[in-house]
Amino acid sequence: MDQMTNTRFDAVTAAPHNHSTHAKVVGQDVNVFYGDKQALFDINLSIGERQVTALIGPSGCGKSTFLRCLNRMNDTIDICRVTGKIELDGGDIYDPSLDVVELRARVGMVFQKPNPFPKSIFENVAYGPRIHGLASGKAELEEIVERSLRKASLWEEVKDRLAESGTGLSGGQQQRLCIARAIAVSPEVILMDEPCSALDPIATAKIEELINELRENYTIIIVTHSMQQAARVSQRTAFFHLGVLVEEGPTDEIFTTPKDQRTMDYVTGRFG
Amino acid sequence: MAVSTAQTTPPRQTSDRAAQLRRRRYAADRRLKFFGLAAIVTAIALLGILLGSLILTGYQAFVQTHVTIEVAIDPELVDRDNPASGNYRAVVADAVQRLFPEADDPAVLQEGSRIVTNGAQVILRNMVVGNPGLVGTTFSLQVPVSDPYDQLTKGVIQRDSPENRRRLNDAQISLYETLEERGLIETRANWALLFNADSRFPELAGLSGAIVGSFYALLVCFLISFPMGIAAAIYLEEFAPKNRWTDIVEVNINNLAAVPSIVFGLLGLAVFIQLFGLPRSAPLVGGMVLSLMTLPTIIIVTRAALKAVPPSIREAALGVGASKHEVILHHVLPLAIPGILTGTIIGLAQALGETAPLLLIGMNAFLTSPPGGIMEPATALPTQIFIWADSPERGFVARTSAAILVLLGFLITMNAIAIYLRARLERRW
Ligand SMILES: Nc1ncnc2c1ncn2[C@@H]1O[C@H](COP(=O)(O)OP(=O)(O)OP(=O)(O)O)[C@@H](O)[C@H]1O
Ligand SMILES: [Mg+2]
């Protein structure tokens, strides 16, 4: 318990060489249960605005579970129960009066396996803005689609084939399409669950480059199994182990001078 | 610790024992393939025997022997202003007289009149009512010969069998042969089989009433079970909490699909007809009863189709903030539609062949005209087969097989459409 409090203290205060302004997402004493089985234990983590936070840890430690709490994707799992408090800009996202649909527009998500809709490329990106009523006409919708595809560095590759199916793109292009789809509804936070695990190194490099650009405007939380990737794209890193948040801090510190032995073991490849 | 494989002895793939083992494994592969092949060959052979025997007995019903008669519509007998109530019996008698101009023996003429179908009067009456301009004219017309002579022409009744063993005596046959010699007898395609309604006379009996009745019943069945089945499946799959109650509902839907169809017929009789007072023999009731059987099928296939939609698509839609109905209607349902349609068509095809419940609600009435709507008495294809199979006339034997072939034709068409739709629609995503 003492250690937990410590960790929490570290997490909230330690951000010395970061220009981050304020905590965008704050989790307090988050516990998650799948039926009787507890997957996360008293997670206290605050995530700074407009920076990339990497969640790392061995398989099954609860990274995805935590990520999916942040846009309440866990609501769709019947047996999943979340306690504690998660705030987005100071507002509790588990408040019963909160509108989940709006939350998911503010907190976008990119999944492990690229999952474009089996519809046209245009429709993939236009779908979100359309259901949320973000565009007041066809021209505006087209503008949003183009802007989003440009931000996802996909525009040049697909501008001549917007009517073709999104599933006909290459894996890397599909993943960028999914990022464009998430961007199109103007989210504040983008959650990425191992976005490159199904991609080859070149496509991965493209996505990482893209993440670096997106950091200017979005708060990004990325789950990754690759230490190199975490080191390349993130400013801060949180290490999870067996459902516990072991340590959180600036990425270079986590990788060079971790405070916890378990983190040390993990980042040096001794387990996981 | 990760390199423990180095310590195990290397496998000896080349040893005799391994080679022998491999041979045994290949032998097992071949055996499995052989059993599968044998099963398929047996199934196809059985199907071939079924179709073969149906075609052998049924093909004769697709042609019908006709005799050409010369008809004079005497204005004395048929009033131009009221053609419906003319004396067509006399018109036909006159035509028979013209068929045997030199015969003056009334007994011969009476035998002769038996060659022409009994329904000739009705055929003529319908013609003249449809075109009153025929009154006062003389024209030649092909009408079916009555059933025994049709059987004689088709060789079912054999001329060289003993006279007392056949339905036509020598005098009758020789009278008929004079017509054959004059070239008045012709065997041609029996469109009446498809376009006539039922009749007591096999040479006039057709399936149009049954086809229309089956169509109406299936339409009612589809309109009830398709929307209800999809709605129920969507609720169960997407909204219902997973608890004991939904488990019970689920088990019972599966049970419903396994209930013998005759039970649904009894239910329809007791509830729809006796309680609600809906008309007997009506395609409306038939369709409602059939929908009780189709509904569970559609629920089950729809749920399977919904389940088969990859969860990643749901997550993608939820991830951009789609609400539940948007996820279902915009993403899940369109992907499930091919499966749902295929299952529905197969369910309807089953309903098309269903006989027992329709017998119970009286869709086996003897009706000589197709139903004009879903509330009017009707038969259906399988019940029509049942009626014909029960009829004593020789001509109905072949017609029963022919009707079965027609029914099978519809079933195969429906299943082919299902397969085509599945291939077509699934390519799109
Ligand atoms: N839908 C679920 N139902 C039941 N248990 C689940 C469910 N999803 C996850 N869990 C359990 O919760 C724990 C955390 O899972 P989670 O998917 O968050 O791990 P992870 O860190 O993302 O792992 P990985 O790196 O393999 O993706 C695991 O023990 C897992 O078995
Ligand atoms: Mg995961």
Side-chain angles (χ1 to χ4, degrees), chain B residues 193-238:
Chain B
L193 182 70
L194 292 179
F195 297 117
N196 275 12
D198 197 10
S199 164
R200 257 175 303 127
F201 312 112
E203 67 272 17
L204 294 178
L207 291 168
S208 77
I211 291 172
V212 174
S214 270
F215 172 78
Y216 281 142
L218 280 195
L219 188 70
V220 170
C221 171
F222 173 80
L223 290 179
I224 294 174
S225 56
F226 189 69
M228 254 173 77
I230 290 184
I234 285 180
Y235 177 78
L236 286 173
E237 202 53 42
E238 308 280 343

Side-chain angles (χ1 to χ4, degrees), chain A residues 59-60 62-65 112 193-194 223 225:
Chain A
S59 192
K63 308 177 295 291
S64 300
T65 300
Q112 178 167 1
D193 194 347
E194 303 183 43
V223 171
H225 272 152

